[in-house]
Amino acid sequence: MSSSALSARGSRLALLVVGLCWLAVLFDGLDMFIYGSVLPHMLEEKALGITSAQAGDLGSYATFGMLVGALTAGTVADRIGRKKLMVSCVALFSLASGLCAVSGGVAVFGLGRTLAGLGLGGLLPTAISMVSDYAPRARAALTIGLLMTAHHAGGILSAYVALWIVEPLGWRAAFWVCVVPLLFVPVLARFLPESLSFLVARGRVEEARALAARYDAELPAAKDRTAAGAPWANLLNLFRGGEWVQTLLYWLASFGGLLLVYGVATWLPTLMRSEGYELGSALTFVVLFNLGGIVGMLVAGRASDRFGAPRISAIWFALTAGGVFLLSVHMPLTLTFVVVFLTGVFLNSAQTMIYATVSIGSAPANRATAVGWTSGMGRFGAVFGPWLGGQLLAADKGDWGFTAFAMAGTASMVFIGIAALRTARSERRDGEPRQLAATG
C-alpha cells in the first residue's frame, strides 16, 4: 500500500479520535454552563429556596467536584486507560444531571452538581491527552484549540436551552436535557480507540504497534513504559530536577485562569443583569462569550504553534484582564456586545494554551498526569471564582465582581509569562525544545 494511502488512513483515525472527543467535550460544556444559564431564572423563581450566596456555593460544588476529578483523572487514566475513563466520566455527569433534575432541595441538588463536577473534571484533561497522542506535532496546539471549541459550543447550547426550554417547561427540564449524553456512552465505548502511549506504557506494545501500523500513526518510544511503575511515579516526575519551578508556575497560572473562566461563566448573566441589562440580553452575552471562545481557540492554537503556547497565553491573559474590567463599565448595548465577544476570544483560549503548553511538553506516558494536575490545581481557582461572585452579589457589590476577575487574569499573565521566559532561556541554553516531566 502506498504511503499516501497510509497517511490518509492515519488522518481518518486522527479525525475519528478528535471527532469523538469533540462530542464528549461538547456535552461537558453543556453540563458545565447550564447552571449559569438557568441561574437567573432559578433566583427569580426562588427555586429550591436558594439565595444569591447559596447559588455561589452551589456553583462551587460543581467546581470542587471538578477539582477532585481533574486531580485524580490523570493518574487514573495513566493506569487504567484514557478511553475507559472518558466513557466513565460522560456516564457520571449525565446521570448526575438527572439527580439535579429530580432534586427536592438544595442538598440533593448540590450533591448532583458535585458528582457532575467529578465527571466534568476528569473528562477534559483526559480528552486533551487523547487528542495530543494523535495530533500532528506541528499542529498540536491548534488541535487542542479545536477540541476546546466544543466546550464553548456547549456553552452556547446551554444558553439556547435556557431560552427555549426553561421558560415553558421550567428549570428542571434543562437538567433533563443534560441527561441525553448518556446515549452517547455506547458510541464512545465502541468506536474510540485507546491511547497509543497508554498501550506502550502498560507493556501492550504489540497491540499498540498493530494499531499504529494499521493507521500510519506515530508509535511512542517504548522507554516511556517506565512511567507506569509506581502509582505516583508520574506525579513525582513533575518535580524532578528543576521542573518543580515550572510546574508550580503552570499551576498558579491555571489557578488564576480557572478562577476567571468559571467565575465569569457562572455569573456573567447575573452580573450583567445587575448592571441593568435585561435577561434576554444577558443570555445573549453568554452566546457571544462562547462564540468568542470558539474563534479564540482557533486563532490562539494557530498562533501558539508558530510563536509558542506560553507566550500567546500570557498576551491573551493581559487582553482578557482589560476586557473583563471594561465589563464593569455600563456602555451602550452594541459596544458591550463587542467587548463580551472579544473577552471570550481571549479569556477561554488563554487558559487552554496553558494546557497545550503542558501537554505538548510532557512525555507521552506522563501526559495525562501532567495535564490533569495542572487542571486540578487550577480547579481551586474554579471553586473560589463562583463563591467569590456570590459573596459580592450578596453584599450588593456586584460591580466589583468584574474587577476581581480582571485581577485574577493579570496574575495569570505574570505566572505564565515567567514560565515562558524560563522556557525560552532553557531552549537557548540547551539548543533544543524543552520537554517537561521526561521519564527514563
Side-chain angles (χ1 to χ4, degrees), residues 112-177:
R113 290 305 290 167
T114 303
L115 292 175
L118 284 171
L120 297 170
L123 177 69
L124 202 54
T126 310
I128 290 172
S129 300
M130 180 70 84
V131 300
S132 293
D133 278 354
Y134 292 95
R137 293 302 93 188
R139 294 289 181 268
L142 179 60
T143 304
I144 292 172
L146 176 64
L147 174 70
M148 290 300 295
T149 63
H151 194 65
H152 303 291
I156 294 172
L157 183 58
S158 76
Y160 284 112
V161 167
L163 281 172
W164 295 340
I165 294 180
V166 173
E167 192 64 36
L169 300 177
W171 64 270
R172 295 180 188 274
F175 287 97
W176 281 121
V177 170

Side-chain angles (χ1 to χ4, degrees), residues 33 67 76 93 101 108 123 178 205 248 276 318 331 373 377 382 407:
F33 285 101
L67 183 157
V76 172
F93 67 68
V108 176
L123 177 69
C178 293
V205 179
L248 290 179
M331 298 173 286
W373 275 79
M377 298 306 291
M407 292 172 65

Side-chain angles (χ1 to χ4, degrees), residues 3-93:
S3 60
S4 60
L6 285 173
S7 297
R9 296 176 70 182
S11 297
R12 286 197 297 272
L13 177 62
L15 287 173
L16 174 66
V17 172
V18 174
L20 290 172
C21 289
W22 194 93
L23 287 172
V25 174
L26 171 73
F27 298 135
D28 179 294
L30 170 63
D31 206 304
M32 176 60 223
F33 285 101
I34 195 65
Y35 176 66
S37 293
V38 303
L39 183 55
H41 184 86
M42 294 181 71
L43 288 173
E44 187 174 335
E45 287 197 347
K46 295 182 172 56
L48 303 178
I50 63 173
T51 64
S52 293
Q54 287 177 318
D57 292 341
L58 288 171
S60 293
Y61 291 163
T63 49
F64 176 76
M66 293 176 78
L67 183 157
V68 177
L71 287 178
T72 57
T75 302
V76 172
D78 283 335
R79 300 292 295 180
I80 70 169
R82 293 164 196 173
K83 174 180 176 176
K84 288 182 180 178
L85 187 60
M86 283 188 62
V87 171
S88 301
C89 286
V90 174
L92 178 58
F93 67 68

Side-chain angles (χ1 to χ4, degrees), residues 328-339:
S328 65
V329 180
H330 194 90
M331 298 173 286
L333 185 60
T334 301
L335 181 57
T336 305
F337 283 155
V338 172
V339 173

Side-chain angles (χ1 to χ4, degrees), residues 28 32-33 59-60 62-64 66-68 70-71 120-121 124-125 128 148 151-152 250-267 289 297 313 317 320 347-355 371-388 404-405 408-413 415:
D28 179 294
M32 176 60 223
F33 285 101
S60 293
T63 49
F64 176 76
M66 293 176 78
L67 183 157
V68 177
L71 287 178
L120 297 170
L124 202 54
I128 290 172
M148 290 300 295
H151 194 65
H152 303 291
Y250 292 140
W251 287 5
L252 289 169
S254 186
F255 174 89
L258 287 180
L259 187 159
L260 182 55
V261 168
Y262 286 99
V264 172
T266 300
W267 289 107
F289 180 75
M297 292 298 173
S313 181
F317 271 123
T320 295
L347 166 58
N348 299 295
S349 50
Q351 176 65 25
T352 298
M353 289 308 107
I354 296 177
Y355 298 149
V371 177
W373 275 79
T374 300
S375 173
M377 298 306 291
R379 298 293 169 185
F380 285 102
V383 171
F384 185 65
W387 175 86
L388 177 62
F405 295 146
T410 302
S412 290
M413 174 200 70
F415 292 127

